Amino acid sequence: YCNFDSLDCAAFHDEAIDELVARVRDGAIALTYVPLFGQIGNSQGAARAAMCAAEQNAFWPLHDAFYQWRQMYGEVQAFTNNRIVSGIAQLDINRARYDGCISSGAPDAVLQEAATDARGLVNFTTTPAVTVNGVVLVNDSNVQLTTASEILAALDEAIASRAAPAAPTEEAGMEQPEAAEAPEVTETPVEPTAEATAEA
């Protein structure tokens, strides 16, 4: 869960996105970016644009551009309508389809669902927030992890615990439990889902 106007999310992006993509490519995790938005500047417009870009597999390039803009232009000027339109023009997407998406209610429905989901998470306090199988990553005191190093360490621990061999059963005829599935890490578009390996 992240928002484009957040400095903490921008730092998380810079410090962790390559590491997350590597884990996706290795098949260790599935990555889902859940878009939220703040109240400063046009971060809602940026989130809406990202959702519509995702429909054409252009989420990740726009995602990266938004975090660059946030750092270059500040929270108020980063996501002006003119800058977003200019950024969209640089992507290899069907502009009429993008405009149709923007004028529909689809992006707003996704953003509303994302906000509702975030409010329903136990221990969710701020962005960035990463979940594994729907559970916010927390420390031993149940405080949400928010730094890239803490989150990556917790992910590696979850991956390692999933990969640990099952204890042998005492009865010869008992079936061995199946290996657990890869943890699903939440951090990509809710609807539509952009494939992390396709663009990153």
Side-chain angles (χ1 to χ4, degrees), residues 27-29 132-133 158-166 176-184:
I29 64 171
V132 172
N133 299 327
I159 292 165
S161 69
R162 183 197 85 235
Q176 293 290 326
E178 292 183 23
E181 293 180 23
E184 181 178 330

Side-chain angles (χ1 to χ4, degrees), residues 2-186:
C2 255
N3 46 310
F4 293 116
D5 61 330
S6 165
L7 282 176
D8 292 332
C9 286
F12 181 77
H13 168 268
D14 291 348
E15 297 168 18
I17 196 69
D18 291 339
E19 297 279 341
L20 292 172
V21 169
R23 286 162 177 81
V24 169
R25 288 189 175 136
D26 290 344
I29 64 171
L31 178 65
T32 304
Y33 184 99
V34 180
L36 300 175
F37 61 90
Q39 302 302 315
I40 300 173
N42 188 23
S43 65
Q44 183 176 6
R48 293 177 79 241
M51 295 301 88
C52 291
E55 285 188 354
Q56 298 185 55
N57 295 321
F59 173 82
W60 290 110
L62 193 58
H63 165 272
D64 293 345
F66 283 162
Y67 283 120
Q68 289 174 348
W69 296 351
R70 170 62 181 91
Q71 292 180 338
M72 290 171 57
Y73 303 112
E75 59 194 9
V76 175
Q77 294 298 314
F79 311 118
T80 62
N81 285 332
N82 287 342
R83 186 166 286 115
I84 291 172
V85 168
S86 176
I88 292 298
Q90 301 301 312
L91 299 174
D92 185 24
I93 63 173
N94 178 309
R95 182 60 190 265
R97 187 172 158 204
Y98 170 84
D99 289 343
C101 173
I102 284 292
S103 63
S104 76
D108 295 317
V110 170
L111 295 174
Q112 180 61 44
E113 181 181 346
T116 300
D117 289 349
R119 284 191 299 271
L121 290 171
V122 174
N123 295 317
F124 175 88
T125 57
T126 189
T127 59
V130 175
T131 65
V132 172
N133 299 327
V135 178
V136 174
L137 295 177
V138 295
N139 64 19
D140 292 338
S141 301
N142 281 335
V143 175
Q144 177 186 330
L145 303 179
T146 58
T147 68
S149 60
E150 293 172 326
I151 290 169
L152 292 171
L155 284 176
D156 288 340
E157 186 177 313
I159 292 165
S161 69
R162 183 197 85 235
T169 58
E170 293 186 24
E171 292 185 37
M174 291 184 69
E175 291 183 30
Q176 293 290 326
E178 292 183 23
E181 293 180 23
E184 181 178 330
V185 178
T186 304

